[in-house]
């Protein structure tokens, strides 16, 4: 066998042996609580469509109108001839929504993180990253060439001791606002104070907070009353609560101008289709005009937590739409997920290496499109799945 085929076969075999072989469920319906997977209908609790906008008729219409006006493809990168009026307007509206000078739209959140971090720091600089940060922030740190140091999750002392040891270069502190697999929130106020004390910059990846948290849905910073001066670099994604696709960085005019000049994942890629930007503009309007979506989501979160606690399920300290149930062993998480599936519920089992060894979990996510009854039905199914798991001989 060719050495590459040999290598790939070995890697895949190892994955299978560890029960960590990943497969992609095939979705046969639009996103929503009722999801058809491989031809079978389920009640789903695993999407990041937190506000239920991914299949909203107004957003879909805005995309169709965008296609009528701009066609399908953007044709080029932003700096050549792919930057349409829709992208431009979306950036202005995102900046205004976030209370920041400017915003820059990227094709994905992964690319926004790569682009921002590599533009801000390099060899001789430092990145301090929370241990549970998203993979894209980790890869961004490694790619930047800066000295990369991870501090204990949400631990201020651990961050402080690392900061106090740095004696040269610039320091970027990078954290998720809401942690994607735990649902908890970064202690941003304390991190802002530390960043100030040490002349560091704080960057927040608010993929799971943007649209959901705070009185205006501006995200984790809105919830905690923080502004551009406190957190100079804000990243938000458009494929989660906003229900479309893409991401943005928002901050000072100078930051955005520098990213346009320096961020390679911004410069050397095709702009997202203008119609996607048009749909996102409509979606952003709905976020601003329909606070009931956030309120309903908040009520569902409280309802789910109260019910799960009654059932004796191990929840994490999360106030967000991400409500993991820690199961522990990989096989148990899979068995729970399987038992739920048999009852018509689709909930993802998350296992190492996505989460730490021994902390496999069901990642339950709630959205504004779910009803109270659907959450109650999930709780009932969870109770049954848990009982079934306990009965199984080990
Ligand atoms: C989803 C996610 C990203 C990546 O965003 P995409 O637009 O999906 O590429 C980055 N950071 C966090 C924390 C995320 O959850």
């Amino acid at each position: 066998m060719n050495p590459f085929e040999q290598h790939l076969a070995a890697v895949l075999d190892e994955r299978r042996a560890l029960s960590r072989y990943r497969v992609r469920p095939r979705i046969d319906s639009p996103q929503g609580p009722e999801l058809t997977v491989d031809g079978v209908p389920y009640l789903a609790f695993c999407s990041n469509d937190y506000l239920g906008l991914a299949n909203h008729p107004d957003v879909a219409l805005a995309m169709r109108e965008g296609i009528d006006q701009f066609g399908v493809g953007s044709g080029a990168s932003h700096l050549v001839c792919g930057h349409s009026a829709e992208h431009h307007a979306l950036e202005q509206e995102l900046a205004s929504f976030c209370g920041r000078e400017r915003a820059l739209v990227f094709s994905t959140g992964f690319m926004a993180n790569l682009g921002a971090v590599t533009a801000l720091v390099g060899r001789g600089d430092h990145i301090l990253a929370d241990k549970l940060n998203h993979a894209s922030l980790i890869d961004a740190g490694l790619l930047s060439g800066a000295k990369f140091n991870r501090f204990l999750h949400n631990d201020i002392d651990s961050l402080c001791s690392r900061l106090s040891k740095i004696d040269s270069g610039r320091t970027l502190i990078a954290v998720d606002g809401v942690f994607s697999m735990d649902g908890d929130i970064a202690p941003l106020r304390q991190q802002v104070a530390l960043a100030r004390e040490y002349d560091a910059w704080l960057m927040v990846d608010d993929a799971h907070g943007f649209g959901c948290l705070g009185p205006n849905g501006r995200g984790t910073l809105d919830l905690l009353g923080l502004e551009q001066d406190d957190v100079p670099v804000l990243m938000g994604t458009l494929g989660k609560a906003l229900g479309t696709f893409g991401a943005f960085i928002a901050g000072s005019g100078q930051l955005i101008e520098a990213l346009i000049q320096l961020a390679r994942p911004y410069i050397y890629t095709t702009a997202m289709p203008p119609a996607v930007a048009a749909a996102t503009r409509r979606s952003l309007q709905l976020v601003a005009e329909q606070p009931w979506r956030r309120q309903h989501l908040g009520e569902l979160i409280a309802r789910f937590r109260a019910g799960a606690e009654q059932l004796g399920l191990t929840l994490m300290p999360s106030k967000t739409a991400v409500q993991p149930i820690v199961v522990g062993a990989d096989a148990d998480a899979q068995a729970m997920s399987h038992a739920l599936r048999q009852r018509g519920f689709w909930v993802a089992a998350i296992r190492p290496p996505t989460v730490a060894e021994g902390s496999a979990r069901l990642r339950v996510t709630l959205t504004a499109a779910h009803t109270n009854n659907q959450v109650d039905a999930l709780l009932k199914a969870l109770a049954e799945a848990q009982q079934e798991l306990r009965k199984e001989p080990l």
Side-chain angles (χ1 to χ4, degrees):
M1 231 194 311
N2 167 289
F4 283 95
E5 292 292 359
Q6 217 165 7
H7 165 69
L8 296 178
V11 168
L12 294 177
D13 281 346
E14 190 191 339
R15 282 275 162 135
R16 276 191 207 94
L18 289 168
S19 305
R20 288 197 184 151
Y21 203 80
R22 295 165 190 246
V23 293
R24 304 167 302 166
R26 191 199 64 208
I27 308 304
D28 300 314
S29 65
Q31 279 300 325
E34 284 159 22
L35 200 64
T36 307
V37 187
D38 294 321
V40 183
Y42 291 93
L43 201 50
F45 290 87
C46 54
S47 86
N48 302 318
D49 179 26
Y50 299 126
L51 295 180
L53 295 175
N55 189 32
H56 191 288
D58 292 2
V59 178
L61 178 65
M63 190 180 284
R64 276 186 220 107
E65 289 174 349
I67 290 173
D68 290 343
Q69 201 180 348
F70 288 94
V72 177
S74 69
S77 65
H78 284 275
L79 295 182
V80 178
C81 63
H83 184 68
S84 75
E86 292 292 347
H87 296 114
H88 208 70
L90 173 60
E91 289 180 344
Q92 287 169 342
E93 287 158 14
L94 282 168
S96 144
F97 182 78
C98 294
R100 287 176 175 245
E101 287 171 36
R102 275 186 81 180
L104 188 70
V105 168
F106 283 74
S107 293
T108 73
F110 207 115
M111 294 166 74
N113 279 340
L114 289 185
V117 170
T118 56
L120 288 170
V121 289
R123 229 168 282 287
D125 298 323
H126 300 264
I127 297 178
L128 297 178
D130 189 287
K131 270 216 143 138
L132 296 189
N133 275 356
H134 189 260
S136 57
L137 271 180
I138 297 173
D139 287 7
L142 298 174
L143 183 64
S144 73
K147 220 174 171 86
F148 188 68
N149 217 316
R150 299 210 277 172
F151 58 88
L152 298 178
H153 176 53
N154 279 354
D155 187 321
I156 287 295
D157 293 337
S158 172
L159 171 59
C160 189
S161 86
R162 280 162 178 74
L163 272 169
S164 67
K165 288 184 190 117
I166 295 173
D167 56 8
S168 63
R170 292 184 298 278
T171 302
L172 183 69
I173 304 168
V175 298
D176 286 10
V178 173
F179 288 86
S180 47
M181 297 301 141
D182 292 49
D184 56 347
I185 293 173
L188 292 181
R189 285 201 190 127
Q190 291 155 286
Q191 288 167 339
V192 165
L194 270 185
R196 283 228 167 84
E197 188 182 334
Y198 286 93
D199 262 337
W201 253 15
L202 181 59
M203 169 171 176
V204 173
D205 170 342
D206 208 19
H208 300 276
F210 183 66
C212 295
L213 298 181
N216 307 295
R218 272 168 35 202
T220 311
L221 277 61
D222 194 17
L223 181 73
L224 300 176
L226 298 170
E227 305 291 341
Q228 183 178 300
D229 282 349
D230 304 308
V231 178
V233 191
L234 170 66
M235 188 282 248
T237 56
L238 306 172
K240 288 170 180 152
L242 269 79
T244 59
F245 187 75
F248 67 93
I249 299 279
S252 71
Q254 183 153 272
L255 168 69
I256 298 308
E257 211 37 55
L259 292 180
I260 294 172
Q261 310 306 318
L262 303 172
R264 292 162 66 88
Y266 180 79
I267 300 167
Y268 298 104
T269 201
T270 302
M272 69 161 64
V276 175
T280 309
R281 293 179 65 197
R282 185 72 190 105
S283 180
L284 190 63
Q285 258 177 350
L286 292 174
V287 172
E289 287 166 5
Q290 302 186 335
W292 66 261
R293 290 181 186 275
R294 290 191 292 284
Q295 283 154 16
H296 177 54
L297 178 59
E299 285 156 17
L300 293 178
I301 293 166
R303 189 181 189 93
F304 176 78
R305 287 189 68 86
E309 266 156 28
Q310 268 188 351
L311 295 173
L313 295 164
T314 310
L315 291 174
M316 300 192 81
S318 161
K319 297 188 175 95
T320 67
V322 180
Q323 289 293 331
I325 296 170
V326 181
V327 180
D330 292 13
D332 288 350
Q334 270 198 304
M336 280 280 276
S337 173
H338 183 71
L340 287 173
R341 235 166 258 186
Q342 285 179 318
R343 289 168 176 78
F345 293 83
W346 195 271
V347 180
I350 308 282
R351 296 167 289 154
T354 307
V355 294
E357 292 290 339
S359 75
R361 64 198 66 175
L362 294 173
R363 182 177 181 266
V364 172
T365 56
L366 301 166
T367 77
H370 286 109
T371 63
N372 288 347
N373 286 343
Q374 288 172 332
V375 169
D376 293 347
L378 171 66
L379 286 163
K380 182 165 171 284
L382 278 167
E384 291 169 10
Q386 181 174 246
Q387 260 205 332
E388 196 173 296
L389 186 71
R390 285 189 182 148
K391 266 189 253 152
E392 296 230 328
L394 291 175

